[in-house]
Amino acid sequence: MKIYRAKHGGFCFGVKRAIKMALEAANEAEAVYSLGPLIHNRLAVEDLKKRGIRPTEKIDGTRKNEAIIIRSHGVAPDVLKKLKSKNCEVIDATCPRVRRAQRYVQKLIDEGYYVVIVGEKDHPEVRGLLGYAGRHATIYNDRHKIGKRKIGVVPQTTLNQERFNDAVADLMPNVIEMKIYNTICRETAVRINEATKLAKKADVMIVVGGKNSANTTRLYQLCKKLRRSHHIESGNELKRSWFKGAKSVGITAGASTPKQQVDEVVKSIRRMYPKKKKRYSR
Ligand code: SF4
């Protein structure tokens, strides 16, 4: 079995940075809480818990030697305000690229645009972006026309570029003025391009990452359109029947998947299909 492994599968810059900040805080503080799971990966969150970083949904204030960490997705300004009012010790690990998208939303509002955010309505990053626009914003939905003539459009950083282009083309005929900030992160584009190439080359695709990770699920859906594909969280889920008739497998991972999880999947496939030893004739 030939294994093609994506070079850029796994943690993106923003997630690596947030985890580093959380681990450093955990070394110093008695307790570190992340506002929501630090990353969308069940196994990695379990591992972080063992290292003293526990997810919480409540903002109750922090005690001495405790800290609360804002994950890479960022939060709305009212959440920051609430944390401040409760005198929490805050470590802000919002990815700088998400922060830039938040600033663009704020700028559009200041300039009098109605903001349209293209992304998943329940995603924490999108909820955070919406918070910067208040009531003067909506999430793009291709079934509803937007009755505003001057709009500003901002995508979720992990959106597929094609989806964003389609949304812009759909919005265009009904507005007089449109200002676009393309905040799609290049880490996303790199992962999508690489996964597309692998799915065209390999007989089977394995996408590794949390089932609750939006960007991993999108990678899987993309691969599924091109090739027989499976989305798994760990090597234990692999089934021999998936590889029937296959000579090669492509492996990629979402931006919230630790490298060790991908390594473990590669090892599991190697165990299923060990390399044949060369025979030498005398
Ligand atoms: S995908 Fe890009 S914008 Fe989102 S957290 Fe990662 S590096 Fe930041």
Side-chain angles (χ1 to χ4, degrees):
M1 183 69 69
K2 173 105 183 135
I3 298 177
Y4 300 112
R5 179 173 174 168
K7 269 196 204 124
H8 296 93
F11 283 171
C12 64
F13 146 77
V15 169
K16 265 188 211 154
R17 178 176 172 273
I19 290 180
K20 188 169 176 270
M21 286 170 84
L23 290 174
E24 278 168 7
N27 277 342
E28 312 238 317
E30 266 169 36
V32 175
Y33 300 95
S34 65
L35 207 48
L38 198 57
I39 49 174
H40 288 154
N41 186 298
R42 189 177 51 86
L43 299 173
V45 169
E46 287 307 316
D47 185 49
L48 286 169
K49 273 189 208 164
K50 286 181 205 148
R51 298 177 185 217
I53 302 149
R54 285 185 295 252
T56 180
E57 301 296 337
K58 286 191 272 170
I59 302 176
D60 280 343
T62 47
R63 284 178 295 205
K64 205 169 170 252
N65 278 332
E66 287 186 351
I68 194 152
I69 183 153
I70 294 172
R71 52 198 176 163
S72 57
H73 307 303
V75 291
D78 63 330
V79 177
L80 283 174
K81 222 164 137 187
K82 197 167 175 191
L83 286 164
K84 222 174 175 182
S85 73
K86 300 256 178 185
N87 285 327
C88 294
E89 175 66 36
V90 177
I91 298 163
D92 190 353
T94 304
C95 173
R97 293 173 194 170
V98 173
R99 185 70 200 109
R100 187 177 53 188
Q102 293 171 342
R103 278 198 300 268
Y104 284 142
V105 171
Q106 180 74 68
K107 189 167 181 280
L108 287 167
I109 290 294
D110 293 345
E111 291 170 357
Y113 289 89
Y114 183 79
V115 174
V116 180
I117 294 164
V118 186
E120 283 136 288
K121 70 176 169 50
D122 295 322
H123 195 280
E125 180 192 318
V126 173
R127 288 205 305 269
L129 289 175
L130 265 186
Y132 279 82
R135 288 183 295 111
H136 306 285
T138 191
I139 297 167
Y140 170 73
N141 178 335
D142 59 3
R143 287 183 297 279
H144 299 129
K145 290 276 164 278
I146 290 160
K148 305 281 174 187
R149 311 304 274 162
K150 182 177 165 178
I151 64 169
V153 192
V154 178
Q156 182 180 341
T157 56
T158 49
L159 194 74
N160 177 327
Q161 186 65 53
E162 273 177 39
R163 243 191 93 196
F164 186 51
N165 297 349
D166 290 347
V168 168
D170 183 38
L171 290 163
M172 192 76 86
N174 299 304
V175 295
I176 290 175
E177 190 183 336
M178 181 189 277
K179 193 164 184 177
I180 301 168
Y181 284 111
N182 189 350
T183 52
I184 294 176
C185 174
R186 65 175 181 275
E187 299 251 6
T188 308
V190 166
R191 278 163 183 73
I192 289 174
N193 290 342
E194 221 179 352
T196 307
K197 279 188 196 150
L198 285 189
K200 286 182 181 164
K201 190 155 86 168
D203 296 323
V204 182
M205 279 301 288
I206 300 293
V207 184
V208 190
K211 294 272 163 77
N212 57 345
S213 157
N215 73 82
T216 310
T217 306
R218 268 198 304 277
L219 273 185
Y220 165 61
Q221 281 161 352
L222 171 98
C223 293
K224 209 166 64 162
K225 281 190 198 152
L226 301 164
R227 190 63 70 214
R228 203 173 357 145
S229 302
H230 302 275
H231 176 178
I232 57 170
E233 291 188 338
S234 81
N236 301 335
E237 294 166 59
L238 289 166
K239 293 195 176 100
R240 207 169 260 275
S241 59
W242 294 350
F243 303 99
K244 204 171 170 199
K247 289 198 169 67
S248 62
V249 53
I251 301 176
T252 187
S256 48
T257 310
K259 181 180 170 291
Q260 302 89 293
Q261 272 177 28
V262 187
D263 291 345
E264 189 240 333
V265 169
V266 172
K267 273 189 203 147
S268 301
I269 296 176
R270 280 267 164 265
R271 274 197 297 273
M272 283 165 103
Y273 298 97
K275 278 185 184 164
K276 282 184 189 147
K277 287 199 182 118
K278 280 186 185 167
R279 285 199 184 157
Y280 298 98
S281 49
R282 289 182 182 221

